[in-house]
Amino acid sequence: MAAAASVGDADPRALARARDRAEAAPAAGATETPLTFERRVAAQRAIEEVYWRHREWTDTRRPKPALSEVMPEELLREKVRAYLRKSNALERYWGQAITSAELQAELERIARETRSPEVLREILAALGQDALLAAECLARPLVAERRIRSLYAQDARFHAQRRSEIETWLRENRDPGMLRSAGGRYDETELRLARRADPGEQEGRARRGPAAIELDPETWRSTLAR
C-alpha cells in the first residue's frame, strides 16, 4: 500500500505518520498499489541514480557514463532479490520477521546519523515521498543485512562442524607460522609504532612498497593490551 508524505528536512517521523494514516484509513476511492517486485526494482533504480549523481568521477579521459552502463538492469534486480531472500531467511530459519516498527527505527537512525542529509532528501524525493517505499527499499535492505550477518555468524547449525575442525587444528598447531598452511584464505597485517622518519627513510619506504600500518602511541598501547 502506498503512502505519501512531505518529509521536509528528511524527517522520517513524517514518513511514519503518513504510512500509519494510509494503512489505518485509506482515502475514499483510493486505489491500493501493491508493492510488487517491479516497483521495488524501480525504487532501487531511483535510489542508485541519486547515489550515482553524487559519486565523484575522476576519469578525465571520458565523461561520466550513465548509471545503466555501470549497473545494468539485471544487477538492480539482483539487489532486490538479495534483500528479499535475506528477509525471508530471517523469518524461515530464525523466526524473526522484520516489523514495520524496526523499519521505522532504521529510517530514524539513517536520518540521525547520515553525513549527507542533502543526499537523503534527494533519495526520499526520488521515491516520491512514499513512506512504504522508503521503509521497504531504503531501510529493509540494511536491517536484513545487519541482522542476518549477526545471526548466521553465531548459528551452530551452519558452523558447528567447521568450528570444531578449526578449534581442533588450533589446539594441535600452536605456532602462528603454521596458519599459512591451514587452508582457506590467509591475510597478514603488520602493525608498527609510528615514529618520525627522516626524508631518506621515507624515500626508502616508498621504494619498498606499501608500509605496515603505523599506529600512534596511544592506539599502539591499547592494541597491545587487547
Side-chain angles (χ1 to χ4, degrees):
M1 180 183 304
S6 176
V7 297
D9 191 24
D11 183 356
R13 290 171 296 184
L15 290 173
R17 290 192 295 270
R19 182 197 61 216
D20 293 342
R21 287 196 302 270
E23 292 182 350
T31 302
E32 294 187 10
T33 304
L35 188 53
T36 62
F37 181 80
E38 295 304 326
R39 284 193 71 203
R40 290 179 183 272
V41 172
Q44 188 68 40
R45 184 184 300 108
I47 292 170
E48 298 295 344
E49 285 281 6
V50 174
Y51 285 141
W52 184 242
R53 283 201 302 272
H54 285 271
R55 185 168 299 175
E56 183 179 358
W57 183 253
T58 58
D59 189 347
T60 58
R61 296 169 298 177
R62 63 190 183 100
K64 186 177 182 179
L67 175 67
S68 58
E69 296 182 46
V70 296
M71 187 175 293
E73 180 73 11
E74 184 52 35
L75 182 55
L76 283 170
R77 302 176 79 84
E78 181 54 32
K79 283 193 168 191
V80 175
R81 293 190 197 103
Y83 74 72
L84 291 177
R85 283 197 299 265
K86 290 171 184 175
S87 293
N88 291 336
L90 285 170
E91 188 169 1
R92 177 180 178 184
Y93 293 108
W94 293 282
Q96 295 192 21
I98 298 174
T99 67
S100 59
E102 290 172 313
L103 295 180
Q104 178 58 30
E106 181 65 12
L107 286 175
E108 292 175 359
R109 184 199 66 79
I110 293 170
R112 183 174 62 251
E113 299 180 4
T114 182
R115 296 181 180 179
S116 302
E118 71 284 357
V119 175
L120 179 56
R121 284 193 293 270
E122 287 185 35
I123 289 174
L124 295 176
L127 295 177
Q129 311 288 31
D130 190 305
L132 187 60
L133 285 180
E136 286 292 326
C137 304
L138 185 60
R140 179 177 291 276
L142 299 176
V143 174
E145 174 70 17
R146 187 166 59 242
R147 184 181 298 174
I148 204 167
R149 279 181 176 272
S150 175
L151 291 171
Y152 181 77
Q154 302 173 39
D155 197 315
R157 291 176 296 176
F158 304 106
H159 306 297
Q161 180 178 351
R162 185 58 175 158
R163 187 182 189 90
S164 177
E165 292 172 355
I166 293 171
E167 290 175 345
T168 299
W169 189 94
L170 289 172
R171 285 195 298 269
E172 297 173 352
N173 299 272
R174 296 290 185 177
D175 182 0
M178 295 294 292
L179 287 172
R180 294 177 182 274
S181 61
R185 174 177 173 176
Y186 174 81
D187 294 295
E188 184 175 307
T189 301
E190 179 183 355
L191 304 179
R192 180 184 299 151
L193 176 61
R195 61 186 179 85
R196 184 173 300 175
D198 59 44
E201 183 178 355
Q202 291 176 345
E203 182 179 351
R205 288 180 186 174
R207 287 197 302 268
R208 289 194 298 270
I213 297 176
E214 295 192 341
L215 307 178
D216 61 78
E218 181 179 351
T219 306
W220 173 261
R221 288 192 294 271
S222 63
T223 302
L224 288 181
R226 187 171 69 247

